[in-house]
Amino acid sequence: MSAKIKDVAAAAGVSVATVSRALGSGPVSAALRQRVEEAAKQLGYRPNLSARRLRSQHTQTVGLIVSDIRNPFFTAVSRAVEDAAYQAGMRVILCNTDENPDKEAMYLRLMEEERVSGVIFSPTRDTARRLRPDAYGFPVVMIDRSGPAGQADAVVLDNRLAAAQLVEHLLAQGYRHIGGLFGNTSSTGSERHAGFEAALAAHGLAGEGRFIAPTAEAAETVVTQWLAEEQRPDALIASNGLLLLGALRALQRAGLSSPHDLALAGFDNEVWTGLVGNGLTVIEQPVYEIGRTAMEMLLSRLDDPGLSIRSVVLAGRLLVRGSTSPHPSAQGVFGQP
């Protein structure tokens, strides 16, 4: 019996879609193309030229796989990706994973079945670690999260620096007992925690960072418990907008206010953060630029699959508001008069 394309895929350790692209003119690395060609030669595989022509027709569709569409950050990023895709004459398939690796795997398979031109993806930490973009029939650009160096194109915030900026601001305002809430499913939470710890250590201080599910509900529960503890912090940093919302709810349910009872600071300049009291101090992320840049990187990769892997790191902007007003004991501390 003559060899089939699935036999070549099995021999090369890749998907059928990847074999199709490697034996055609699809975007795969030179090393992967050589591996597939060698497997095809050893098996005596002869592609059906008419079928190849049919499969090589690009769908002009981009897959956008985000971790939580309820998070306004990803809503804004999705808008930017869709705008850029529309300008390029492409459509977008949007998938939401709820930070679930099983759903991530399912949607990546769906992208292969739909023969998308490429995927923009915010993976969980576990999926990012084992992701092999060459195993798929399309290029992958990561947003907000990153994997091992050189793995795939990525657009991220300088998370360590942004978290350190929040810590330095709180220290300058006289706060000493600073706690932090960090998402436990992504590289973003880990990186922001690292910046948080490093900034405190530079001043000989230690904060308490708690890793939790990156949802408002989880944050509300944890902060409610934290507020009942004898050694509760006098300031709290939340590593995304949903965690910040949950922390605020816990504070309000306890009949407390910010900054009088607990200074609050976090990430993402959502509209509501400027409407609470005198406003919440946040790091404003360049969300539209993140989405637009990711789409531009994907289009560049499609035009030239041989490009070197790139990682674009963008800076956030500290917006100081009333939730981090000076601590009553701030006189003469870390730059205070």
Side-chain angles (χ1 to χ4, degrees):
M1 294 179 63
S2 59
K4 304 295 185 182
I5 191 170
K6 65 180 180 180
D7 300 321
V8 179
V14 297
S15 67
V16 169
T18 299
V19 172
S20 178
R21 288 180 181 269
L23 296 180
S25 57
V28 299
S29 68
L32 180 57
R33 190 184 306 279
Q34 181 179 358
R35 189 165 87 233
V36 171
E37 288 175 345
E38 288 176 353
K41 183 177 180 180
Q42 290 172 2
L43 293 172
Y45 172 71
R46 292 181 179 276
N48 182 314
L49 295 181
S50 61
R52 178 192 289 182
R53 282 193 293 270
L54 179 62
R55 286 194 298 269
S56 66
Q57 294 176 0
H58 292 297
T59 61
Q60 296 300 303
T61 301
V62 172
L64 176 59
I65 306 176
V66 301
S67 54
D68 188 353
I69 196 62
R70 296 173 304 174
N71 188 330
F73 169 84
F74 288 114
T75 305
V77 167
S78 299
R79 173 58 189 266
V81 169
E82 196 279 332
D83 284 349
Y86 177 78
Q87 293 172 2
M90 305 182 80
R91 300 171 298 170
V92 176
I93 298 176
L94 175 62
C95 301
N96 173 69
T97 68
D98 294 319
E99 304 278 6
N100 184 332
D102 291 335
K103 291 184 72 173
E104 290 175 329
M106 178 188 71
Y107 285 131
L108 287 170
R109 289 193 299 269
L110 174 65
M111 296 301 109
E112 287 190 298
E113 294 169 1
E114 293 292 330
R115 294 187 292 115
V116 298
S117 299
V119 166
I120 296 172
F121 188 20
S122 62
T124 57
R125 183 171 55 246
D126 290 343
T127 294
R129 286 171 178 166
R130 62 175 182 264
L131 187 68
R132 293 177 53 223
D134 281 352
Y136 302 102
F138 46 75
V140 175
V141 176
M142 295 188 188
I143 50 169
D144 186 53
R145 288 98 184 267
S146 59
Q151 178 191 51
D153 294 324
V155 187
V156 297
L157 186 76
D158 191 335
N159 289 305
R160 289 178 174 81
L161 176 61
Q165 286 178 312
L166 289 175
V167 170
E168 293 291 349
H169 167 67
L170 288 170
L171 291 174
Q173 298 291 73
Y175 296 95
R176 285 296 174 279
H177 306 291
I178 303 174
L181 297 176
F182 303 93
N184 62 5
T185 60
S186 72
S187 61
T188 303
S190 298
E191 291 169 2
R192 291 175 183 174
H193 178 258
F196 166 84
E197 283 200 324
L200 286 168
H203 292 281
L205 300 172
E208 183 178 355
R210 299 188 179 184
F211 284 92
I212 65 173
T215 67
E217 294 76 15
E220 184 174 355
T221 298
V222 170
V223 173
T224 296
Q225 296 168 349
W226 213 342
L227 291 173
E229 295 177 10
E230 184 176 350
Q231 297 297 323
R232 76 186 193 194
D234 56 16
L236 183 65
I237 292 173
S239 70
N240 72 30
L242 293 179
L243 297 184
L244 184 60
L245 176 61
L248 178 65
R249 285 176 180 169
L251 202 62
Q252 292 176 337
R253 286 183 183 276
L256 304 177
S257 64
S258 181
H260 181 265
D261 299 293
L262 179 72
L264 279 180
F267 284 77
D268 300 330
N269 184 31
E270 305 305 331
V271 172
W272 67 268
T273 63
L275 303 177
V276 179
N278 291 321
L280 300 180
T281 293
V282 294
I283 292 289
E284 181 181 51
Q285 300 194 67
V287 287
Y288 198 87
E289 186 178 358
I290 289 172
R292 178 183 56 78
T293 302
M295 189 64 203
E296 290 176 352
M297 293 175 74
L298 182 59
L299 293 173
S300 297
R301 177 68 56 192
L302 290 170
D303 288 339
D304 185 358
L307 286 173
S308 299
I309 297 296
R310 293 188 298 155
S311 181
V312 176
V313 181
L314 301 175
R317 183 167 68 106
L318 175 63
L319 299 179
V320 176
R321 296 182 177 132
S323 67
T324 57
S325 295
H327 190 278
S329 63
Q331 293 295 320
V333 176
F334 290 109
Q336 287 292 327

